[in-house]
Amino acid sequence: MHYSGFKVIKEALTGHKGWKPAWRDPQPQDRYDYVIIGGGGHGLATAYYLAKEFGKARIAVLEKGWIGGGNVGRNTTIIRSNYLLDGNEPFYEFSMKLWEGLEQDFNFNAMVSQRGVLNLCHTDAQRDAYRRRANAMRLNGVDSELLDAEGVRRMAPFLNFDNARFPIKGGLLQPRGGTVRHDAVAWGYARGADSRGVDIIQNCEVTGFRIENGKVTGVETSRGFIGAGKVGCAVAGSSGRVMAMAGINRLPIESHVLQAFVSEGLKPVIPGVITYGAGHFYVSQSDKGGLVFGGDIDGYNSYAQRGNLPVVEDVCEGGMSLMPMIGRARLLRMWGGIMDMSMDGSPIIDRTDVDGLYFNGGWCYGGFKATPASGWCFAHLLATDTPHDTAKAYRFDRFRKGLMIDEKGMGAQPNLH
Ligand SMILES: Cc1cc2nc3c(=O)[nH]c(=O)nc-3n(C[C@H](O)[C@H](O)[C@H](O)COP(=O)(O)OP(=O)(O)OC[C@H]3O[C@@H](n4cnc5c(N)ncnc54)[C@H](O)[C@@H]3O)c2cc1C
């Protein structure tokens, strides 16, 4: 069923009787050519591109809960491609280009809104670092602008410019950055994949792998054994647990909670996405008016999808320091998601030592913006057994070879990436 303005008007005039479910609820089959574990953004996008771009059939996505229940529906919706390093920038720009045509591509309104992402700087050294990053972006053909304090003031006059400790000296703006409605991304990919024959099987937890002579032959699930030619694992915060079932126990990934916050609805005030450079705090405003904000991960490993109060306090302090008016807004809701924090802050899209088993993870706080490119590149790897050009650096062996893609130069400390 094609969605269009004409369809909306027709249904409005005829009692909304013509809408069909956006995807089926199929029973699992005995065997598929491709089984994708994880019905988050990355798993669904992988299945979509496997079917659409690589012409593959007999594909299933297995999701232990409901699609959109993981990080894809829990993030703060920011998209951007303002990276410094060559290992990252072409990949995230590929993703940005896919975002720009995504709604037409999968015929679903995901509310892609390119309102700009502004990173504030508060010291001369930070401004120099941003200048370097802005130049690196331009060398990769990506839009970037350096603003001075007056330029920032014109965009966001409500910020605390003259804070004696953290004065705002300027900012790095990516005008094409912005936000996308996160759960609509899951729904759009699910609908697109389903319409191309992909079975999306919810309430189907993978509980083990069947591996014979070093090759994966299928997965054990809460709904029985499902045979598979190839298995792709895209379970984000559960990466360590799921890969351990295949005997892969030493992933360079830790799981941490990240929290998000939404205020009551306010009149439009925040022009795009603004990130604080002197603390970990970032904010945007949703179409319903809520201020959507967040900050650091909780300081311990966890698989709980909720966080603790010390980080709440830390995030709110960051907000108050940057824009004191936020203290008058009431908090409406907050939640947590489990982050797959890699040791250099960059992701992994690679084969594993088990023949036929492929891995996608290590997205840290930044995997939502990567969703389209991650799906495309993972599908490329699954379909062709070769990495996509923009994801060549995202290999497991970079940790062994010392070829880390440490975007912030922080070393193996997850909370600093
Ligand atoms: C609070 C918060 C804010 C964030 N903000 C941003 C942001 O602004 N911008 C950005 O780019 N990124 C952001 N992120 C990160 C981003 O959301 C994630 O990196 C990305 O969504 C992870 O990929 P995914 O969508 O596939 O994960 P998920 O949606 O978590 O999908 C993984 C799925 O695997 C399923 N699963 C797990 N184990 C099994 C099993 N055994 N069997 C079957 N299924 C299983 C889970 O139920 C889950 O649905 C944020 C994350 C959080 C939590």
Side-chain angles (χ1 to χ4, degrees):
M1 180 172 59
H2 188 77
Y3 290 164
S4 65
F6 174 73
K7 175 81 178 158
V8 171
I9 294 166
K10 181 173 169 235
E11 289 301 324
L13 296 174
T14 55
H16 291 288
K17 296 197 179 82
W19 298 115
K20 297 197 184 78
W23 54 86
R24 296 163 297 129
D25 185 18
Q27 288 301 314
Q29 295 175 20
D30 294 343
R31 184 183 161 77
Y32 293 90
D33 291 343
Y34 295 88
V35 163
I36 310 298
I37 311 173
H42 294 225
L44 292 165
T46 303
Y48 174 76
Y49 292 121
L50 261 177
K52 177 168 181 279
E53 300 299 331
F54 297 94
K56 301 295 179 189
R58 295 178 54 77
I59 304 165
V61 177
L62 310 183
E63 165 54 49
K64 77 171 175 186
W66 67 97
I67 61 169
N71 290 343
V72 68
R74 291 168 181 267
N75 62 67
T76 37
T77 76
I78 300 167
I79 61 164
R80 57 186 174 87
S81 59
N82 55 0
Y83 281 75
L84 172 73
L85 299 180
D86 284 343
N88 280 327
E89 183 60 19
F91 172 82
Y92 285 100
E93 178 56 15
F94 177 44
S95 209
M96 183 61 86
K97 292 214 168 76
L98 290 173
W99 283 120
E100 286 170 336
L102 186 66
E103 292 165 304
Q104 285 70 29
D105 188 63
F106 64 22
N107 180 231
F108 200 84
N109 180 8
M111 295 163 74
V112 177
S113 172
Q114 294 179 285
R115 288 174 286 170
V117 170
L118 174 64
N119 304 139
L120 298 173
C121 65
H122 308 266
T123 64
D124 292 343
Q126 202 171 27
R127 187 171 40 208
D128 286 349
Y130 282 0
R131 178 168 291 129
R132 184 172 169 232
R133 180 141 60 101
N135 286 337
M137 290 165 67
R138 291 231 170 155
L139 286 171
N140 277 294
V142 178
D143 58 319
S144 69
E145 277 175 39
L146 270 183
L147 304 183
D148 60 10
E150 276 318 301
V152 174
R153 201 187 291 272
R154 275 195 293 278
M155 272 186 74
F158 52 84
L159 296 177
N160 189 2
F161 283 86
D162 304 318
N163 179 326
R165 196 157 168 217
F166 305 118
I168 293 172
K169 300 229 166 192
L172 169 60
L173 176 68
Q174 184 183 17
R176 285 162 63 239
T179 58
V180 181
R181 176 161 176 187
H182 49 192
D183 35 19
V185 173
W187 300 332
Y189 274 123
R191 180 172 169 274
D194 176 273
S195 70
R196 288 170 175 81
V198 173
D199 281 358
I200 297 166
I201 303 166
Q202 302 181 74
N203 298 311
C204 182
E205 178 170 1
V206 171
T207 53
F209 291 86
R210 202 173 282 182
I211 296 168
E212 292 165 16
N213 301 322
K215 180 170 183 357
V216 71
T217 56
V219 290
E220 308 289 349
T221 79
S222 53
R223 297 174 68 172
F225 175 75
I226 299 176
K230 290 183 176 177
V231 177
C233 178
V235 296
S238 301
S239 294
R241 284 178 159 181
V242 173
M243 294 305 276
M245 295 180 212
I248 298 168
N249 292 306
R250 298 270 300 160
L251 288 186
I253 289 175
E254 284 182 13
S255 290
H256 286 261
V257 178
L258 179 66
Q259 302 189 56
F261 307 83
V262 178
S263 79
E264 62 188 328
L266 304 172
K267 286 185 180 173
V269 55
I270 312 265
V273 178
I274 299 176
T275 73
Y276 193 22
H280 208 150
F281 175 82
Y282 56 92
V283 62
S284 64
Q285 188 165 19
S286 78
D287 293 275
K288 284 193 285 185
L291 303 184
V292 182
F293 55 97
D296 220 338
I297 53 177
D298 281 36
Y300 51 88
N301 301 127
S302 172
Y303 289 102
Q305 286 182 315
R306 61 189 161 81
N308 275 312
L309 290 174
V311 166
V312 177
E313 189 176 13
D314 185 67
V315 171
C316 291
E317 282 171 357
M320 286 298 290
S321 165
L322 179 65
M323 40 185 287
M325 69 167 182
I326 201 172
R328 300 187 60 190
R330 278 171 296 190
L331 196 63
L332 198 62
R333 54 203 176 92
M334 55 196 272
W335 62 85
I338 316 165
M339 316 304 315
D340 37 336
M341 304 298 298
S342 71
M343 289 301 110
D344 61 357
S346 297
I348 297 159
I349 302 177
D350 202 359
R351 284 185 275 207
T352 70
D353 291 339
V354 178
D355 197 13
L357 177 60
Y358 301 74
F359 179 75
N360 172 318
W363 293 101
C364 303
Y365 339 79
F368 177 63
K369 65 174 127 48
T371 304
S374 166
W376 187 300
C377 294
F378 201 33
H380 187 287
L381 180 68
L382 281 156
T384 66
D385 266 313
T386 55
H388 186 269
D389 265 356
T390 64
K392 274 188 177 145
Y394 296 154
R395 308 283 301 273
F396 276 114
D397 65 4
R398 72 175 187 263
F399 296 96
R400 188 161 41 78
K401 291 182 173 166
L403 299 173
M404 263 71 81
I405 315 168
D406 190 351
E407 183 73 25
K408 294 196 181 154
M410 291 300 187
Q413 196 169 333
N415 67 324
L416 297 179
H417 287 299

